[in-house]
Amino acid sequence: MTANSIVRIAGLNKWFGDFHVLRDIDLDVGKGERIVICGPSGSGKSTLIRCINALEEFQEGEIVVDGIELGPNLRRVDEVRREVGMVFQSFNLFPHLTVLENCTLAPIWVRNIPKKDAEAAAMKYLERVKIPHQANKFPGQMSGGQQQRVAIARALSMDPALMLFDEPTSALDPELVDEVLTTMRELARSGMTMIVVTHELDFAREVGDRVIFMDAGRIVEEGRPADVFSAPREERTRAFLRRLLRTGAPHRPATGIESPRGRIHGETEPPTDAAADRRA
């Protein structure tokens, strides 16, 4: 792990029963780097980032997050989770708490921040995602895009060193996608280290420093977005991108195999539980 690394993964292997979902994963993420992970459903993308946040156990290998080593038995889980914010596909907000209460719960109880200070910080992040006027609403009173922006503000309220995004736009109506991606673009420009699982390839091309293509639990290819999307080295990557072009998603005119624009219609990531991975 280099001095500038915030995440190092070495020899990571994970099974769900007999299903080998992650195979010999090696990955190093530098501070301030924006990594985009893409690939077909069931390739292990979501499972990988859930391992980084200790939401999934793994059987072999090592994960180090901001200098904190997380072995297969998940020692030091709480230390890692204090440094990592995560935004899920389905928001996962507490429906009985207001937006402000959702954003202050963890800082108060996990970081022992006084309520007044936690509320001030939460309002700062709600301002950042452009919904401070929604602070006293309940999640059920908001659109999906607004709820996902609350989820981003909630994660930022813990002042994380790293943000993980697991298909953050996959549960949204198409017209709500852009408001969430705009928030993520602004977060990237601020210098936040981000690992994003997404099929929003325009976002990957614009924001990503590096794209990782996964298939069958392995990292098949990685590189700069322009290189991976325009001139992929591996046939499996080329086949995946060709399939995206056949979905009929709108795309900018381009040469070669340039990626389609916007969401990939008809392709969504299944729920990231063990059963879903086994079905892949």
Side-chain angles (χ1 to χ4, degrees), residues 42-229:
S43 59
K45 309 180 301 293
S46 294
T47 301
L48 174 59
I49 66 168
R50 289 170 67 87
C51 285
I52 294 173
N53 204 24
L55 293 175
E56 293 284 0
E57 296 181 349
F58 55 94
Q59 286 73 44
E60 293 179 2
E62 177 185 71
I63 298 176
V64 180
V65 179
D66 203 20
I68 303 167
E69 183 177 343
L70 188 67
N73 59 1
L74 298 188
R75 296 188 304 272
R76 308 180 74 181
V77 168
D78 292 340
E79 292 177 66
V80 168
R81 289 181 181 164
R82 279 195 290 268
E83 302 304 321
V84 180
M86 186 158 182
V87 177
F88 300 87
Q89 298 178 26
S90 55
F91 322 140
N92 289 359
L93 301 174
F94 292 107
H96 63 291
L97 299 180
T98 67
V99 165
L100 186 61
E101 289 168 340
N102 266 279
C103 292
T104 59
L105 187 66
I108 291 171
W109 289 98
V110 177
R111 291 201 181 273
N112 297 313
I113 295 174
K115 181 179 179 181
K116 183 178 179 180
D117 295 341
E119 289 179 344
M123 287 305 300
K124 178 183 71 173
Y125 290 118
L126 289 172
E127 288 271 4
R128 188 169 178 177
V129 301
K130 298 179 172 56
I131 48 171
H133 55 288
Q134 308 279 14
N136 293 317
K137 286 188 177 181
F138 291 92
Q141 298 173 306
M142 308 173 73
S143 72
Q146 289 171 333
Q147 290 186 61
Q148 194 62 295
R149 284 187 282 165
V150 172
I152 293 172
R154 177 182 61 179
L156 291 173
S157 293
M158 284 291 286
D159 193 24
L162 167 68
M163 285 285 289
L164 306 175
F165 294 85
D166 184 11
E167 285 278 15
T169 60
S170 66
L172 301 177
D173 292 334
E175 62 267 23
L176 300 177
V177 168
D178 280 347
E179 64 186 63
V180 173
L181 293 181
T182 296
T183 298
M184 293 173 63
R185 288 184 184 100
E186 292 173 355
L187 184 60
R189 284 194 290 268
S190 75
M192 173 63 72
T193 308
M194 301 166 64
I195 303 177
V196 184
V197 172
T198 186
H199 286 162
E200 300 286 350
L201 300 189
D202 272 357
F203 171 84
R205 187 167 44 238
E206 177 186 348
V207 172
D209 297 308
R210 189 168 21 137
V211 168
I212 292 172
F213 174 71
M214 292 186 65
D215 185 47
R218 299 183 185 275
I219 294 177
V220 175
E221 184 164 351
E222 62 180 292
R224 296 188 310 114
D227 296 334
V228 173
F229 295 150

